[in-house]
Structure formats: C-alpha cells, structure tokens
Amino acid sequence: MSAAPLRALVLAGGRSTRMGRDKAALEYGGQSQLERAVALLQAVVDAVHVSVRADQADDPLRARFHRIVDRGDVQGPIAGIRAAQSQHPDAAWLVVACDLPHLNEATLRELIARRDPAKTATAYRSSHDGLPEPLCAIWEPDSASLLQRFIDGGRNCPRKFLINSDTLLLDQPNPEALDNVNTPDELAAARERLAGAKAAPRPLRVQYFALLREQAGTREEQIQTSATTPAELYRELAARHRFTLEPSMLKVAVNAQFRDWTQPLAANDTVVFIPPVAGG
Amino acid sequence: MNRFRFSPAPIDGAPLRAEIQHHSCGGYASFEGWVRDHNEGQQVRHLEYEAFEQLGVAEGEKIIAEACARYGVERALCVHRIGDLALGEVAVWVGVAAAHRDEAFKACRYIIDEVKHRVPIWKKEHYVSGDSGWVNCERCAQPGEHEHTHEHGHHHGHGHGHAHG
C-alpha cells in the first residue's frame, strides 16, 4: 500500500500545571520550546501545525503558526490528535510534544525512515520503561476511527491506546532525545545539560564567499565557538558580521560537503555558508 | 582529468571539443554562456565570478554523471569561468558527444540547467552606473519570492539568467 502523506503536529495545548507557567514559552538558548519544535519539524515535514486549546488560539506565541484547535469533547493530547485527524483525514500525523528540549532531527528522520504505514502507528520505545512514546510518533489515518472508539469508551491516555494497538516500536537512536520537562527542577536540569553540551568552545574554520565574504571582510577565519550546529554558528556569526542573508536563503557545507543545519560540528571542522548561487 | 572544471583563464572551446570527440559519436551539442551587456534593466559593464572550487568541482562532476546516466551518453564536459570577465567573454562552456543528436542535446541542456542552480558559483555584476551587486543575493533578497533553490529540479524560470539568451 502507498503511504499516506505526512503532516506534523506540535502539541502546545498543555496546561503546564506542574511547571506553573506556559511550557511552550520556556526558552533554551534564547529560543522558545515551541519555536524550536516547529523549526525541527519543518526540516523534515512540509506541513507543520500547532495544536492549541480554544482559549489559546490568539496567544501571540502560537498565533504565528498554522493552528488546529482542540474540539473540547476530550481532555489531553489525544484531543489535539483527533482534531488534526478530523481536519486532514487522509494524512498521517507525526505528533510531537513541544516539551522535548533534547529532541533532534536525527531522531525524527529515523522515525520517518522506519515508519510502517500498514501499522496503526510507528513509535519509539521509551528508554525508561520500554513502553511506546505516543508524543513523538507517527499516527496513520486508520488510527482515527480506533482512537474515536477508545475515546467513546471513556479513555484518553494515548500511551495506553498505542500499547493496545498494532504499533511498530523502534529503539531510539539517542536515548535522551525524548526526555520531557514537566517541572522547574527538570527544566533546570535540561538547561544545564544543553549548556553543558556547548560549554567547551572549540576551534572551527569558517570560509566566506561572495556577499558573505564582503560582509565579513575576510575570506576565512579561525574561531573559537561553543556553537554545536551550523544553525547556532550562523546566528553567532550573523550577529558579529551583520550578515543580511537569512538562513533560509543559504545552504551549508561542512568539510566541503553539503550538510544540514543540525549537523553536529566537531573541532577543526571547516564550515561554509553558501549564498544563493548564480552560475552560468 | 575532471569533467567539470573552473578556469581563471578565458575559455577556448576548440580544445575542449577535441577532448570529447570520438569515433563512436555521431552527434555533438555544445552550449556557451556569454557575458551580456544588460540584466534586469541595468547596463552591465563587466562581471566577476567567484566559486567554492572544492565543492563546486564535486557537485559539477555529480551533475555530469547524472546527465550521462539519464541520457546514456559517455562524453560530456563543462568548464565554468571564474574571475573578472569582460562583455562577450565565455562564462560557461558545455559539450556533449553521443551516438545520436537527441541525447546530446538533452544532456547538454540538463548540465547547464543544473549547473546554474546547484554549483556554488556566485556572480557579481558591475554596472555602467557604478553600482554593483551579487546576483540573487541583494536586489532580490527575499526568500521564496524567486524560488531560490539549489535542489535538483529543473530550471525554475526566475529572471536571473545572465549569460544566456
């Protein structure tokens, strides 16, 4: 059978009760969790939506994105999933919680690559208890009617639904990627871990061409940076050199090969940001 | 020798044509892009091409391999000029020799279209007005508007073609 087209849904309708403030707005390195989650998904799926409660629809943080409003007949993440399924019944949904600060592109790509459209869902096994992680999973269109029956039976736990469904379970490429953050203590720990990942500045070589060369005033520089990806590095360099090109217009090469913006950078890598080309 | 090259010196097509000429080939198609005296309403005085040569050679070679596989040709070559170019100079040269003309034409067209969109080469135009600018980077610096892409699609029809009429 041919696979249903994939759309992505970021769940940002939680009540953040244990955190005591809106989890979607929590920032890591200057970027809110919601923005980070949307950007990650945009790198792997064309259509990205944000699931919100009716009373959050006009919230400025959320209003920038394609929102899908919960239907109100059920509580919790399952409400967002059902609303998305109703809006695009032919799509499969890559559903991701917004409070996963360690989620990375590799984890998403692996899930998509190993998806089995003949199953009800494709999900990762929790690295803590081996049970399915429903909030970084692909929900196939056929799951909609089963999920509705589950809700009609008075249940609303997406994890229990996947446990009792025909779910393909995968091992996570990165066991920490799906650790979520619910409390202020967990937030502090996650921030420390993320900061730790970039604590030690490393030497990198950056080469510039064309407009970027002119704006940087040099063809090449050796820098010490704690940026871990080309995306972070470009933010840092764009601020320093006042680059006018948006990252969306550029491509990235690391060690003279095209790479994506989340490629992990290692000491002594050579990075090139490639402006729009104009050969011929 | 690489089938895709950069040349800081003026391009002479004759020895390049000789390089791919072969008795097994009955058809030869070639394309030259020339420096034109106008672009998007501006009078152009001269041009400057800059390339990320290491990646450019690898990507160019990939394009030629794709063209050969796609159209079943064996002999193809592309040379792109870098540095300062005067009006009328050859900016890019593509040649394909094949058993028959049809695949030679198609492979030649494929190579020039892909090279324009994928190989890291940048063009700075110097205008009669004294102004100058990097094509696709400055006057049109709106993502999306010009469908700027280095992906493998075919020609996207945005109006920045400079050297080709």
Side-chain angles (χ1 to χ4, degrees), chain A residues 157-233:
Chain A
C157 173
R159 195 167 213 209
K160 286 193 183 128
F161 175 81
L162 291 186
I163 292 170
N164 294 303
S165 298
D166 185 19
T167 302
L168 172 64
L169 282 181
L170 308 173
D171 287 321
Q172 295 177 44
N174 171 359
E176 292 177 341
L178 302 185
D179 288 357
N180 69 353
V181 169
N182 286 311
T183 66
D185 281 352
E186 287 170 358
L187 173 64
R191 281 189 174 147
E192 205 167 303
R193 201 156 93 198
L194 288 169
K198 53 168 84 165
R202 289 124 41 264
L204 288 180
R205 188 159 74 122
V206 187
Q207 289 179 317
Y208 299 108
F209 292 94
L211 183 61
L212 294 180
R213 170 177 57 72
E214 292 180 351
Q215 291 179 341
T218 180
R219 288 184 181 280
E220 179 173 330
E221 61 181 345
Q222 296 279 344
I223 57 164
Q224 292 285 325
T225 178
S226 50
T228 57
T229 62
E232 288 175 24
L233 180 62

Side-chain angles (χ1 to χ4, degrees), chain B residues 50-120:
Chain B
E50 177 171 340
F52 177 6
E53 295 190 42
Q54 193 184 355
L55 181 59
V57 166
E59 189 69 8
E61 175 61 34
K62 218 165 117 189
I63 290 167
I64 290 181
E66 287 164 13
C68 290
R70 189 180 276 229
Y71 301 106
V73 304
E74 281 172 20
R75 310 184 69 82
L77 196 58
C78 178
V79 181
H80 203 293
R81 182 74 191 279
I82 49 176
D84 291 319
L85 279 75
L87 297 181
E89 283 201 83
V90 177
V92 59
W93 185 95
V94 183
V96 178
H100 306 285
R101 68 183 181 285
D102 193 39
E103 57 263 35
F105 276 122
K106 284 177 174 158
C108 185
R109 176 69 192 248
Y110 180 84
I111 292 167
I112 184 60
D113 286 349
E114 295 298 304
V115 164
K116 282 175 72 81
H117 289 103
R118 288 164 55 187
V119 176

Side-chain angles (χ1 to χ4, degrees), chain B residues 7-20:
Chain B
S7 172
I11 296 172
D12 177 4
L16 298 171
R17 176 180 170 281
E19 222 178 293
I20 53 173

